Structures are given as structure tokens and as C-alpha cells.
Amino acid sequence: MVKNINKQLNQFAPWQQVTFCIALAERMYPNYVLFCEGTEFAGQAQFRKILDLFWEKLIVKNAKVNFEIQSEHFESAIPNVEDYDMYGVYPALDACVVMTCAFNLMLNKQDDAEEAINASQTSIATVASFIEATSEQALSEDEIFADELMEQELAFQQTLIDQLDKQRSPDLLKAIRKFARNQGISNIGISLD
């Protein structure tokens, strides 16, 4: 299934790849918020603002956003794993990695799926490491991929790709944003409600 996702991302236009990355970041956002709340790390407002700016740029025709400056602002929202002795820093960092993939796509304007594939693999890795961290025994790759959370992750990514394989419109992008919010539940089952 992962190979299939990568193959489909390779065929996407840049706007589809950016939307894919932002949708993954949106779904990972609760992981980031939980980390901020648990550590008093001050990146939450910045992360949310930039996520919203990406959606605005995608949804609103002719929206003006300077992603070069936003990228510089975003650096302060990226936690340093060496400063924290807790698991939660890793899913938070992964959310930042996915957001960075979106920045790279937006700023480099390359017709190359590498960043979208990296975002996909990062989100999958977040789920895999969470499954491993919460398991009482060592798991094989097959066992990790058979886990319900991983099945949900892969199904989410495939549904996202299927939704993106349509004509671009503000309504489509708003629907994807709502889908990505996943009723406030992250890719590792964190809920802010």
C-alpha cells in the first residue's frame, strides 16, 4: 500500500502535493498541541497560524502569503529533541517535519514528489514508533502494519489521495481540510476534546 501511495503522489500536481502535506500536518496538529501543553513550549500559536495560512493560500484565489518569511518564523516552533526527556517531543517534531515538506514544495516549486512522499513516510513513521513505544513486546514490521492505528493511517492517506484526484476548487479544499481535522483526533489517536 505504501508503494501505491508513493506512486500516486508522483503523479500529482504541486498544489495536490502541498495540500497532501498540509492535510497530514493538520491531522498531526493535536500531537504538537499536546506536547506544547505538557512542556509549556511556546510554538502552538505559530504552528496553527502557519497551518491556517497554508489553507488560506490553497483555498482563497490570489491570497498573498510570503512563505519565505513564514518559513523563518516557523523555525522557532520546531522543538529540539535534545531539550526534552519525553516521548511526546517526537510526534511534535514529526508534525514540524511534515510542515517543512509543505514549505519546501511551496518555496521550491519543483515538480517532484519527494517532499510529499517524505511527508507521507514521516506520518507513517510517527504511527509506527507510537505503536512500538506502547507495545509491551518487540513487534515485527508485519505486526506494526497490522495494527489498527496503522491501518487507519494508511486508509486516511489513501482517502486523501482519492479526494485530491479531482478538479481543484475552494469547496474541495474546504472538504479536505475538514476531513484532515479528523474530528480532532490525530494519527496516533490523540484527541484535544
Side-chain angles (χ1 to χ4, degrees):
M1 183 151 192
V2 174
K3 281 189 182 116
N4 191 33
I5 288 171
N6 294 351
K7 187 177 162 200
Q8 290 171 292
L9 289 171
N10 263 314
Q11 296 164 351
F12 270 1
W15 76 266
Q16 291 167 307
Q17 293 173 0
V18 171
T19 307
F20 181 83
C21 293
I22 288 305
L24 290 182
E26 184 74 60
R27 187 161 179 251
M28 297 168 90
Y29 178 66
N31 302 341
Y32 186 84
V33 172
L34 188 69
F35 164 74
C36 290
E37 289 175 351
T39 60
E40 298 180 0
F41 183 73
Q44 183 180 341
Q46 190 68 28
F47 194 104
R48 180 73 258 167
K49 177 185 165 206
I50 290 173
L51 206 45
D52 289 342
L53 285 171
F54 268 107
W55 285 117
E56 182 183 334
K57 179 70 177 162
L58 288 164
I59 295 168
V60 180
K61 195 174 180 176
N62 302 325
K64 298 263 186 268
V65 179
N66 186 330
F67 282 101
E68 222 162 285
I69 288 173
Q70 294 306 328
S71 175
E72 290 168 19
H73 291 320
F74 185 63
E75 286 176 21
S76 67
I78 302 173
N80 181 347
V81 292
E82 291 171 14
D83 294 344
Y84 300 94
D85 186 21
M86 62 183 293
Y87 176 78
V89 70
Y90 296 103
L93 181 63
D94 288 347
C96 294
V97 168
V98 169
M99 192 85 101
T100 302
C101 292
F103 271 119
N104 291 343
L105 278 164
M106 199 63 99
L107 294 171
N108 298 336
K109 304 241 188 291
Q110 292 172 326
D111 199 10
D112 174 2
E114 192 177 315
E115 294 295 341
I117 290 169
N118 187 14
S120 167
Q121 291 172 344
T122 300
S123 188
I124 290 168
T126 305
V127 176
S129 66
F130 179 78
I131 292 166
E132 286 178 309
T134 54
S135 171
E136 288 166 17
Q137 76 253 10
L139 298 172
S140 69
E141 189 174 330
D142 287 345
E143 288 171 316
I144 290 168
F145 275 83
D147 189 276
E148 187 182 352
L149 272 178
M150 185 60 79
E151 287 178 351
Q152 289 170 359
E153 172 67 17
L154 295 173
F156 175 87
Q157 289 198 22
Q158 189 57 58
T159 303
L160 183 56
I161 285 170
D162 294 344
Q163 287 182 337
L164 278 166
D165 201 16
K166 297 183 175 113
Q167 188 69 36
R168 182 177 183 171
S169 73
D171 286 345
L172 172 70
L173 290 158
K174 286 175 191 167
I176 288 172
R177 183 181 194 177
K178 185 177 180 201
F179 170 70
R181 286 199 168 141
N182 200 36
Q183 297 163 327
I185 302 167
S186 82
N187 58 344
I188 57 173
I190 305 268
S191 174
L192 300 176
D193 299 331

